[in-house]
Amino acid sequence: MSVEQIIFVLTSLLILGSAFMVVTTRKLVQAALWLVSALFGVTILYAMLQANFLAVVQVVVYIGAIAVLFIFAVMLTRKELRDQGSQTRSNWWIAASLGVLVLAGLVSLIIGQPAFNRTAEVIPAGVDTLRNLGTALVSPDAYVLPFEVASVLLLAALVGAVFIASRKGEEK
Amino acid sequence: MAFLYDPVNFIAGWAHGILTGWGLVDSLATVIIYLIGITVLIVFAMVLDVMLVWVERKVVARFQDRLGPNRIGPFGLIQPFADIIKMVIKEDITPAGADRIVYNIAPVLAASSVIILWAILPIASSIYGVDLNVGILYLVAAGSLGTLAIIMAGWSSNNKYALLGAFRMVANMISYEIPMVIILLVPTILADTMSIKGITQAQSGVWFAILSPLAFLIFLISAIAELGRSPFDLNEAESEIVSGFNIEYSGMKFGWFYAGELLHAFTFGGFIAILFFGGYGGFFGLERIGFFSWLNNPFVQAVVFITKAMFGYWVIMWIKYSMPRIRIDHMLAFNWKFLTPLALVVLVNTAILSKVLVNLPIWGYALGMFFSNILIGLITIEILRAYGRKQRIAEGNLVRQVAHN
């Protein structure tokens, strides 16, 4: 095994183990922290694929914003940070079998793909992937429409949040 | 002579030769050399950190009209080592009811969120960890790991003051991250790259602090807020919440937070130097003249960089020890109603002008950028003055009304 493969296996174990802990631990804040660990593992995968931009954005957005918000919301809303009672419902086996079925379907699909056995192409020196990504996001031939639609959606959410916040002030 | 111009690669090549000479596989030798390199970089940062304890104590003493440490060694230089020995031999306390694992990880994460910044810090043109093409975003990402460390410390300590400190810190960091990210786009636009080294090289002619003084000021303010230093030290406001998020930590675990904070301040001094004052270079084109070619020597560049970073650190200390603590609602209002809109205006201005002025000679470009910033600054001050006047008139009317009744 090459060094990269060893790192990949270790990272996958980290991601899967953390993801398992997210759903099994009884302390909510700890579950959120395990989620951070899983997300960080995905960052390592991106970095190994030479997707620097995605790796850093993964940390900024998922760990810096979303996970911090999760932890914050959990800490502010719940008095007791432990869950009592059984962690499974009576029909858990339906969910489990559905999960196994979906996994089997996905695996068979991926193995059928011609790209399954290919090794990653080495990015030639001098190609700035970041610049290509940036150009693709704003070029009319590529993704400018989805990009702008997403921007408008976020702007609408922002305006809505400001509106709700200011309405509350009036009622007082 | 190769050593004088590219010391890191020279030593790495020499060590690689030795390791392969011992019969090691080529790739394994490379991995070992990288590991040694990482260790050397971290050790350098931590040894510097020890000296920063002395610098900080000496400078704060001068600001407060005291002498500072002066008993142990010349100028008290041995004092930080005494401090460290004291910290290491203190009792290590874990509070009952603390979440042990999270409690113990938090200080390590806090210190490492600073140390990973050194990976992208170019100390000289040939002495740097890695030249990422997303360096600017990496800076932001490391900051969010620091936020996470503080939440973990505050929550796991099982102490209400620690939790309050963590809440305040997170509110502070999440808010001030926004003007910081916006303003980091200004050097990105000016240099046309997000790589830290590229930004340094783009300033060999003229510093970005001259092209955009407002961007520098906004970055300085948001950097201080991100550091959680006074006037934004609500997270450890000792008169209100005792010591904030690190209240339960003792011994070297507290030491990690303390060391992390000092190194963080110095590192941000370094980033201020890199982003706005030319980093290791920025001699206004002087280094291209034959007589001054010694300025290109990596050792000279390292000295220049450390000096500039120390100056940035000194400015941060200067502000810390001269300003009272800001109230939390003022802090949020200052960020959302003043800093963020101003940062957006500066960004739009830079983006438009960098395209409009692109065909002018360098001095025309620099002057246009500089005076547009001065204009924005003057307009901002006028708006603030008008707003303050309106407030004072409203207050005066209120007082008059009360007196009349």
Side-chain angles (χ1 to χ4, degrees), chain B residues 200-327:
Chain B
T200 312
Q201 280 160 352
Q203 295 176 78
S204 66
V206 52
W207 292 353
F208 288 166
I210 297 170
L211 292 185
S212 190
L214 277 179
F216 159 61
L217 288 177
I218 295 172
F219 181 75
L220 179 68
I221 295 170
S222 45
I224 292 172
E226 170 123 6
L227 292 169
R229 292 201 138 203
S230 182
F232 301 102
D233 60 343
L234 304 135
N235 58 331
E236 44 189 276
E238 61 279 355
S239 51
E240 300 158 22
I241 49 172
V242 196
S243 179
F245 66 94
N246 61 21
I247 182 171
E248 292 288 0
Y249 285 90
S250 65
M252 206 49 218
K253 281 180 200 158
F254 168 76
W256 277 114
F257 283 114
Y258 186 61
E261 195 212 314
L262 285 182
L263 194 63
H264 206 176
F266 177 80
T267 313
F268 263 95
F271 274 108
I272 289 170
I274 289 166
L275 295 171
F276 294 101
F277 292 94
Y280 58 76
F283 304 111
F284 303 100
L286 214 61
E287 76 277 10
R288 277 180 231 134
I289 303 167
F291 178 69
F292 289 106
S293 62
W294 51 270
L295 286 172
N296 289 323
N297 186 297
F299 293 98
V300 178
Q301 287 175 335
V303 171
V304 169
F305 172 73
I306 298 281
T307 314
K308 282 179 181 170
M310 274 292 176
F311 181 74
Y313 178 44
W314 181 79
V315 170
I316 292 172
M317 278 192 283
W318 180 23
I319 294 167
K320 171 170 179 175
Y321 294 115
S322 340
M323 300 279 266
R325 187 176 306 126
I326 192 170
R327 218 170 67 195

Side-chain angles (χ1 to χ4, degrees), chain A residues 30 52 56 64 75 81 130-131, chain B residues 99 133 137 144 155 167 192:
Chain A
Q30 274 196 1
N52 289 347
V56 178
M75 285 199 297
L81 292 173
L130 187 59
R131 201 170 285 269
Chain B
D99 193 319
N133 61 352
L137 273 174
S144 50
W155 174 73
F167 282 160
D192 205 18

Side-chain angles (χ1 to χ4, degrees), chain B residues 153-171:
Chain B
W155 174 73
S156 67
S157 296
N158 197 26
N159 180 311
K160 60 187 170 195
Y161 297 119
L163 197 58
L164 278 174
F167 282 160
R168 288 178 175 200
M169 189 64 193
V170 173

Side-chain angles (χ1 to χ4, degrees), chain B residues 11 22-23 57 98 108 141 158 167 176 196 214 221 229 231-232 245 254 290 302 329 339 342-343 380 383 389 405:
Chain B
I11 295 172
W22 288 347
R57 292 188 61 176
V108 179
N158 197 26
F167 282 160
Y176 280 85
I196 297 286
L214 277 179
I221 295 170
R229 292 201 138 203
F232 301 102
F245 66 94
F254 168 76
D329 56 329
L339 220 53
L342 184 63
T380 313
I383 291 173
R389 199 178 143 77
N405 290 342

